[in-house]
Amino acid sequence: MFRHPLRPVAAAAAALAAVGGLTAATAGPASPASRSRHVLLLSVDGLHQSDLAWYVARHPRSALARLAGGGVEYTHARTTVPSDSFPGMVGQLTGGDPGVTGVYYDDTYSNALLPAGTTDCAGVRPGAEVDLTEDLDKDQNSIDAGQGLSGLPGSILNMTGDAARLIDPAKLPVDPKTCKPVYPHSYLRVNTVFDIARKAGLRTAWSDKHVAYEILDGPSGDGIQDLFAPEINSQAIGYPAGQDWTKDNAATEQYDAYKVKAVLNEIDGHDHSGAHRTGVPAVFGMNFQSVSTAQKLPVSDGLTGGYTTPGTPGPLLAKNLDFVDQEVGAFLGEIHKRGLDGSTTVILSSKHGQSPTDPKALTRIDDGPLLDGLNAAWKAAHPGAGDLVAHAVDDDAMLLWLKDRSQAAAEFAKAYLLARSGNGNGIDGAAKPYTASGLKTVYAGAAAARYFHARPGDARVPDVFGITQYGVVYTGGKGKIAEHGGAAADDLAVPLVVYGAGAPHAVRVDAPVRTTQIAPTMLRLLGLNPRDLDAVRIEHTRSLPVR
C-alpha cells in the first residue's frame, strides 16, 4: 500500500529526527545506513505546489500521490528569482542563486564579454548577449540540433550524449583575454552536483530541452557523461510548418516522451539510447515541458489551456497532469522492476511556476513600444547619445542591461517606466488598461545588485529589474495566457518532494524551503560532502531536512 496518512509538521520533525536528525546546516555526507546509490531528479516545469495538491486530492492512488504521500513533501518550496528555466535548473544543481552562479536567464547579457563571432579582439568594446537558447544549435530547426540523424523523430534516441558537439561556437560570446568562444559550462561561475559526482567516480546523466544545458557540466566541462538534449524549439515533425514542439500540447507530450524513454533506458542500466550497457547513473533525471505549454496555450487539441478559476486547472492542463502522472508511474515501475527501490531516491520539483493562475488577472502588454519610448526619451535628454538599452528580457518580469551603467541612467529608466500607462489586453482579448508599464516595483542600479546579492558593478547583473503587477505578461500578441521569470507567488511556489531511499515515509514539512537546497541534499544522499559545492559554501545553502 503506497498511500500513507500525512503527519503534520511537529510529527514530521520527530520522524525526521528519528531517522537521523533535522539537517540544520550543511554538514558532511549522510550515514552509510541512510545513503542512496541513485538520485533521480525530475523537474515538471510550470508545476505549482497547488497543482500537485489539486491532482493528488482527486487521484489518491496516482503515481504523484505515491510520491507526495510516501515521502517528504515540502509544501512551501520556492524557486529562484528570476524564475526562469536556466537560473531555476542551475540553482537546483549548484545550490546557488543568480548572484552567485552568474546565470540570470536563458538569454542574458555580460559587460565583460565580446559579441559572438568576434575573431580579432584587439580594441573591441566589451558587452555581449549571452544566449543559452536554441540559437546556439548548429541547426535549431532540427530536433537533433544539427547532428544529421536520418529517420527523425523516431531515431532521436540515437542523438549524441555529448551535447557540446552540437553547439555552433560562432554563436558563442567571446572571452576578451583569450579571444576564444565561451561555452555555457565555462560561463557558469560555480561547480555542479555532476562535477562532484564525477570526481567521486560516479556515473552521471541528464536530459533537457536545449544543447545549451551543457552548462550543467560545470566548469570542468565534463560533469555529465550522457547529456540527451533534443531541441524543443525545432520544427515539430508531423505538425504544420513553422510550429515547434511547444505550440501544440500533444507535440510537447510526444517530445517529453522521448526524454522519458531515455531515462527508462538509464534505469535499466544503459545509456540514454539503450544501445550501450553503462550501469545505472548515480545522478540523473530530466525536465518535463508539457505542463508549461498546457498553462501557456489558450487552446490546444480542442481543449482550453490554463486555469478555469484561480488555481483550478482547466481541461488541457488536467489532461497533461494525467500524462505526467503516467510517466512518473513508469519510472517508479521500472525502478521496482529492476530491484532499485531500496537504493534510489526520487526528487520531484520544478524549475519555475507560471503566472497568473487567475485567468481574470491576465494583462498582456507589448513591451516593444515601452523600450522604444525609453530609448527615444534617453536620446532626447542626451543629444548625440545612442540607445540606452543594450539588452532586455521581459516575460513576466523586466530585466534591462544598459549601455550607460551609471546610477543616474538606471534611475532615468526607472522613472520613465513607472510613468507609462496605456492599454494591453486581457484573457478575452479585449483592451485592458495598465499603469506604470505593468510594474509594481523597480530596482535600479545599486538596488538591483543588492536585490540579487551581487557585487555592485558586476558584469552580469541587470541594471534594472522590474517586478510586475500580478497577471502582467509581456507579449506582443495574444498567443499566450501565462509566463514565468518573475517574482509573483505563482512563479515561485513550486512542489518539492523527496521519496525513496534515505527519506522517511509520509512526512509533510510546511516550513519554507528553497529549490537551491536540492543540490546539497543530493550529495548528502549519495554520501558525498555538500560543502564541495562552491555555491553551498558561498551562500551557506542548507540541505533539506530529509533525515
Side-chain angles (χ1 to χ4, degrees):
M1 189 72 178
F2 59 72
R3 188 77 172 120
H4 300 273
L6 290 174
R7 287 169 277 180
V9 173
L16 292 166
V19 177
L22 283 169
T23 305
T26 302
S31 62
S34 60
R35 287 180 187 172
S36 175
R37 292 178 58 199
H38 315 285
V39 179
L40 174 63
L41 176 61
L42 303 174
S43 176
V44 185
D45 297 359
L47 190 68
H48 304 98
Q49 170 60 23
S50 59
D51 298 327
L52 179 63
W54 180 91
Y55 191 83
V56 167
R58 286 156 182 78
H59 304 86
R61 297 189 63 82
S62 63
L64 290 173
R66 179 179 178 181
L67 289 182
V72 186
E73 181 181 16
Y74 302 89
T75 61
H76 287 82
R78 56 169 285 179
T79 188
T80 59
V81 178
S83 56
D84 179 58
S85 295
F86 263 80
M89 195 74 255
V90 166
Q92 289 187 32
L93 288 164
T94 65
D97 288 295
V100 167
T101 66
V103 179
Y104 288 87
Y105 229 81
D106 65 355
D107 184 14
T108 182
Y109 193 84
S110 171
N111 286 283
L113 298 178
L114 305 183
T118 302
T119 55
D120 183 357
C121 297
V124 179
R125 181 179 178 179
E129 179 181 9
V130 181
D131 194 341
L132 300 171
T133 70
E134 67 276 9
D135 293 337
L136 293 189
D137 301 354
K138 288 185 175 180
D139 182 357
Q140 67 185 64
N141 292 314
S142 178
I143 190 172
D144 70 356
Q147 184 173 338
L149 295 172
S150 60
L152 292 170
S155 63
I156 190 59
L157 287 172
N158 293 324
M159 187 176 178
T160 179
D162 183 5
R165 286 175 44 198
L166 301 176
I167 292 176
D168 182 350
K171 298 176 181 178
L172 296 169
V174 174
D175 185 339
K177 296 179 181 178
T178 63
C179 209
K180 293 182 178 179
V182 178
Y183 278 78
H185 72 266
S186 297
Y187 188 69
L188 184 61
R189 286 174 168 168
V190 296
N191 59 2
T192 72
V193 167
F194 297 115
D195 276 317
I196 306 305
R198 282 300 307 280
K199 288 181 180 178
L202 302 178
R203 181 161 180 82
T204 58
W206 186 252
S207 181
D208 224 301
K209 60 184 179 177
H210 307 302
V211 294
Y213 274 92
E214 74 97 44
I215 194 171
L216 300 176
D217 272 328
S220 68
D222 62 1
I224 305 174
Q225 289 167 283
D226 186 4
L227 176 57
F228 178 56
E231 179 51 64
I232 194 169
N233 290 121
S234 63
Q235 169 64 47
I237 302 169
Y239 293 83
Q243 185 167 299
D244 69 34
W245 299 92
T246 69
K247 297 301 188 293
D248 184 297
N249 191 245
T252 318
E253 289 182 357
Q254 179 182 339
Y255 168 87
D256 278 350
Y258 297 131
K259 293 183 293 185
V260 168
K261 179 57 178 173
V263 173
L264 289 172
N265 286 339
E266 290 158 2
I267 293 171
D268 290 343
H270 296 87
D271 69 349
H272 76 266
S273 73
H276 306 285
R277 186 79 185 175
T278 57
V280 184
V283 181
F284 64 129
M286 64 166 282
N287 87 299
F288 286 89
Q289 196 67 24
S290 48
V291 162
S292 182
T293 64
Q295 293 166 327
K296 285 185 177 183
L297 295 172
V299 178
S300 187
D301 311 316
L303 299 173
T304 302
Y307 297 82
T308 55
T309 58
T312 303
L316 183 65
L317 180 53
K319 178 187 77 73
N320 188 253
L321 291 172
D322 285 336
F323 167 78
V324 171
D325 180 74
Q326 172 186 310
E327 304 301 346
V328 170
F331 291 146
L332 297 180
E334 199 69 15
I335 288 169
H336 178 71
K337 177 182 176 182
R338 297 297 174 182
L340 300 172
D341 306 72
S343 60
T344 303
T345 307
V346 179
I347 300 178
L348 176 77
S349 192
S350 180
K351 298 175 184 176
H352 57 78
Q354 209 96 254
S355 182
T357 60
D358 179 357
K360 292 183 180 180
L362 177 66
T363 305
R364 288 176 286 221
I365 300 174
D366 187 352
D367 59 325
L370 293 174
L371 299 179
D372 289 343
L374 172 57
N375 283 327
W378 175 258
K379 287 186 282 190
H382 301 82
D387 288 344
L388 176 60
V389 179
H391 191 71
V393 176
D394 310 323
D395 285 325
D396 74 336
M398 183 174 285
L399 288 76
L400 304 181
W401 288 264
L402 306 180
K403 293 182 179 179
D404 182 335
R405 302 204 73 198
S406 68
Q407 186 66 34
E411 295 292 349
F412 181 95
K414 174 180 177 178
Y416 178 88
L417 292 168
L418 291 177
R420 304 276 76 76
S421 60
N423 280 309
N425 64 83
I427 188 70
D428 58 359
K432 189 174 182 180
Y434 66 82
T435 60
S437 299
L439 298 167
K440 179 177 68 174
T441 307
V442 178
Y443 297 92
R450 286 194 298 271
Y451 181 87
F452 291 113
H453 303 287
R455 299 184 307 275
D458 181 273
R460 303 183 189 183
V461 69
D463 296 296
V464 177
F465 179 62
I467 296 176
T468 58
Q469 300 163 26
Y470 179 67
V472 166
V473 171
Y474 293 111
T475 178
K478 301 177 182 179
K480 65 176 70 172
I481 56 176
E483 256 299 353
H484 56 271
D490 287 350
D491 292 311
L492 304 180
V494 296
L496 180 48
V497 176
V498 180
Y499 169 91
H505 282 284
V507 171
R508 184 173 64 199
V509 177
D510 293 332
V513 296
R514 302 281 314 284
T515 56
T516 53
Q517 294 177 256
I518 291 173
T521 301
M522 294 175 76
L523 292 185
R524 279 185 59 82
L525 287 166
L526 291 168
L528 303 176
N529 192 343
R531 287 189 59 78
D532 287 341
L533 287 168
D534 301 329
V536 164
R537 294 193 306 275
I538 296 168
E539 293 196 33
H540 307 289
T541 312
R542 300 182 176 190
S543 297
L544 292 166
V546 297
R547 47 179 293 276

